[in-house]
Amino acid sequence: MDTRFLESFVVVVESQSLADAARKLNLTSAALSLRIKALENEVGFALVARSGRTISPTASGLTLATRAKSFLADLRDFKTIGSERLLKGELRLGVASSAVAGPLCNLLLGLSDGYPEIELSVTKGSSSDLYRRLTNADLDVAMMYKPQFELPKSLEWRSVVKERYIVIASKPFGGQDPHELLRTQPFIRYDRTLWSGQLADEYLRTAGIQPKELMELDGLEAIAVLVDRGLGVSLVPNRSAPWPEGLSLAKLPLPDGAPVRDLGLLWTRGSSRLHLIEAIAEMTVDR
């Protein structure tokens, strides 16, 4: 049995969409359908029910997907047995979207130079999504922002870099009181569905500031561009990755008690890939 076909079927079940699964696997929908059909022929029963262009897993298909996921995880573990003391092998890494431009690029360059035999499979997403995927064993390690809730003892956290929140405004507002700007100027809010946006929202509530909200966005780059154009001000982390080029922003520090978001690595204690994870952690930790 070709394990790639099993992996493909698991992705289809988890995506709940043939088209989405095909994009994730970098296949055409037709090629993915052929893989599923070949797998059905091999196991001898239907895995999906087809209705026009849509498919859904059968009861037997769901059972197979669950067992296949466990089998594939064991198979990946078997492949690491001979290299437990060597820095080589596959590692599934999740990365917070706003950490791609800086920390991830630095990590990839370091791995290329120092550990070329570590094969990274990178997934991008929000920190909350990465946390869910890690606890579901879909990732080996996540480079994400630390949640405000207490982490379970089964997980290990190592901080990489801490980013203090600031008020950003267009250049003419440089030197002005940041709280006064938050109260009086149009406010471009960092998306509250993100953990980083929730930190900013909590600070505003604690400081008793009710901003004149203009819009709410989930991208720091887009927020910075709009602020630079004079459309408003924002409360955001002073990101470690480069800000977009060509902007002329006033970055105003907040008084004591400003929130700090903590970018770090999170993994499961006792992972079979702990030797690889610790090597990456040593490369990324902020000294």
Side-chain angles (χ1 to χ4, degrees), residues 17-121:
S17 164
L18 185 68
D20 287 347
R23 282 193 292 271
K24 291 177 182 177
L25 294 165
N26 198 27
L27 295 170
T28 65
S29 295
L32 182 55
S33 294
L34 288 174
R35 284 191 176 188
I36 294 173
K37 186 64 177 176
L39 186 60
E40 286 179 324
N41 290 337
E42 187 155 1
V43 298
F45 55 84
L47 299 175
V48 296
R50 297 169 174 82
S51 177
R53 294 186 176 182
T54 63
I55 63 171
S56 57
T58 62
S60 298
L62 284 173
T63 300
L64 178 68
T66 301
R67 298 184 64 177
K69 186 174 179 180
S70 176
F71 165 74
L72 291 168
D74 288 341
L75 181 62
R76 292 177 65 248
D77 287 343
F78 295 155
K79 292 179 179 179
T80 68
I81 291 174
S83 60
E84 285 183 347
R85 297 191 178 277
L86 302 175
L87 292 176
K88 61 183 297 185
E90 180 188 359
L91 194 67
R92 299 169 299 171
L93 171 68
V95 181
S97 299
S98 58
V100 170
L104 176 62
C105 290
N106 295 336
L107 173 61
L108 293 177
L109 289 171
L111 285 176
S112 177
D113 292 339
Y115 306 115
E117 293 190 88
I118 295 181
E119 302 172 12
L120 278 187
S121 171

Side-chain angles (χ1 to χ4, degrees), residues 185-257:
Q185 298 302 310
F187 183 63
I188 303 173
R189 184 185 289 277
Y190 197 13
D191 192 347
R192 285 167 289 187
T193 64
L194 304 175
W195 288 348
S196 298
Q198 292 166 16
L199 276 174
D201 187 54
E202 177 63 26
Y203 179 81
L204 291 171
R205 286 200 302 270
T206 301
I209 297 173
Q210 294 184 334
K212 299 177 179 180
E213 190 161 334
L214 177 66
M215 65 183 75
E216 187 167 357
L217 300 174
D218 64 0
L220 287 176
E221 292 87 353
I223 291 173
V225 170
L226 294 177
V227 168
D228 177 69
R229 301 288 175 84
L231 292 183
V233 301
S234 190
L235 173 61
V236 295
N238 191 11
R239 49 185 284 166
S240 56
W243 289 87
E245 292 185 7
L247 302 185
S248 183
L249 297 172
K251 301 176 184 178
L252 308 173
L254 293 166
D256 291 342

